[in-house]
Amino acid sequence: MKYQLDPNSSKPLHVQAEEMLRELIRDEEYKKGKLLPNEVDLSKELNISRNTLRQAINKLVFEGLLIRKKGYGTTVAPLNVMSNARNWKSFSQEMKAQGMAVQNFELHISFRKGPEEAGKFFSVTPDTYMLCLERLRGKPGLPFVYFISYFNPQIPMTVEEDMTSPLYEILEKKYGIFVKTSKEMVYAREADAEMAAKLGIKEGDPVLVRKRFVLDRNNMPVEYNIGYYRADSFTYTIEFTND
């Protein structure tokens, strides 16, 4: 396929090259591991400098869409879920934004005493019972994250909630709660036997743990959430800007 960029466009060439690359990597051949054209040939074809092309490639590498190996070449990264620290979304929203279908493999809902950290977040006593939602989720045929959520006892949710709908839609439509802020922690740990069995990995394999402290528009604590992700299925991007 012949690609052409427009040097007279108001859109910078590196942005045009990035858009072209996004289109290119949707091709099934590249999804299956075919190497992208090398930078020398592709920059000549597009009539741009290698630095301009590299700027576009670097953006997609940063987003986790491409993998570049020195001495080998550039390939499309295996399809995984990406999350951006600047614009947080629910799991369903993240999946939808990347064109992935969501499948629930397990769903458990109960009232129980929460961990100490959750109690402190909600400012309740250690013996307070909270609604707990546990879900094993992923894309069709591949469970890759186990979520455990505790909810503020002030929210009158029950074990009869229909959790097949997106969680934050339920909070908005049924309880008038609009979540706004998510304070997050991400770290790595080894999978224990129970988590390894749920995620289809080996005991001791790495998992990424993502804690969320979710607040509404009025800064009321809403949800304390811990997600355990297969390390090969989740990319967390962080962008910093110097003023």
Side-chain angles (χ1 to χ4, degrees):
M1 184 181 293
K2 186 75 174 178
Y3 291 95
Q4 289 186 335
L5 306 186
D6 182 3
N8 298 315
S9 171
S10 59
K11 188 179 293 184
L13 288 172
H14 71 87
V15 174
Q16 293 184 54
E18 178 191 328
E19 293 175 349
M20 179 277 299
L21 287 169
R22 289 183 189 278
E23 181 181 345
L24 182 68
I25 64 179
R26 293 191 187 102
D27 190 291
E28 284 300 321
E29 286 187 296
Y30 293 111
K31 288 182 180 179
K32 293 178 180 178
K34 179 181 177 181
L35 285 173
L36 266 66
N38 67 62
E39 291 184 9
V40 174
D41 292 341
L42 192 54
S43 61
K44 287 181 179 178
E45 180 179 342
L46 298 176
N47 196 27
I48 58 176
S49 70
R50 288 184 64 185
N51 285 338
T52 298
L53 177 61
R54 192 172 292 123
Q55 187 176 354
I57 293 174
N58 286 344
K59 177 73 180 299
L60 301 190
V61 170
F62 171 76
E63 291 182 10
L65 295 176
L66 293 178
I67 296 175
R68 183 167 48 198
K69 296 181 181 179
K70 189 174 182 180
Y72 179 70
T74 303
T75 58
V76 175
L79 191 60
N80 61 7
V81 173
M82 291 172 290
S83 181
N84 190 305
R86 296 185 65 188
N87 299 293
W88 75 279
K89 297 180 175 70
S90 70
F91 177 77
S92 297
Q93 289 172 326
E94 288 173 339
M95 294 284 282
K96 183 178 180 180
Q98 295 169 60
M100 300 185 200
V102 177
Q103 181 173 348
N104 287 320
F105 296 86
E106 291 183 22
L107 193 156
H108 312 283
I109 185 167
S110 62
F111 275 101
R112 66 173 67 172
K113 295 177 183 178
E116 181 180 358
E117 192 172 44
K120 289 181 178 179
F121 180 52
F122 297 131
S123 299
V124 297
T125 59
D127 60 348
T128 300
Y129 279 74
M130 313 172 195
L131 188 74
C132 177
L133 173 64
E134 299 177 78
R135 291 185 289 183
L136 178 62
R137 313 190 77 187
K139 53 191 177 184
L142 179 63
F144 60 78
V145 59
Y146 193 75
F147 288 117
I148 304 174
S149 290
Y150 291 89
F151 298 93
N152 191 328
Q154 294 183 37
I155 304 171
M157 301 173 73
T158 73
V159 293
E160 304 300 324
E161 301 290 345
D162 179 11
M163 290 299 181
T164 58
S165 300
L167 173 61
Y168 296 149
E169 284 187 16
I170 296 173
L171 290 172
E172 289 180 14
K173 294 178 180 179
K174 191 170 181 179
Y175 299 101
I177 295 173
F178 295 83
V179 297
K180 180 181 179 183
T181 304
S182 176
K183 299 179 181 179
E184 304 197 3
M185 299 168 56
V186 179
Y187 56 92
R189 54 162 272 193
E190 293 182 351
D192 58 24
E194 180 182 6
M195 195 57 62
K198 288 184 179 296
L199 298 178
I201 56 178
K202 296 178 182 177
E203 184 176 357
D205 278 357
V207 292
L208 291 175
V209 183
R210 181 187 193 182
K211 285 187 181 180
R212 279 182 163 179
F213 301 82
V214 180
L215 302 98
D216 71 1
R217 291 174 176 175
N218 299 313
N219 286 325
M220 180 188 80
V222 173
E223 178 194 14
Y224 170 85
N225 171 276
I226 305 178
Y228 299 90
Y229 293 80
R230 286 180 53 138
D232 61 357
S233 299
F234 181 66
T235 300
Y236 193 78
T237 63
I238 301 174
E239 182 175 336
F240 298 99
T241 303
N242 286 327
D243 294 326

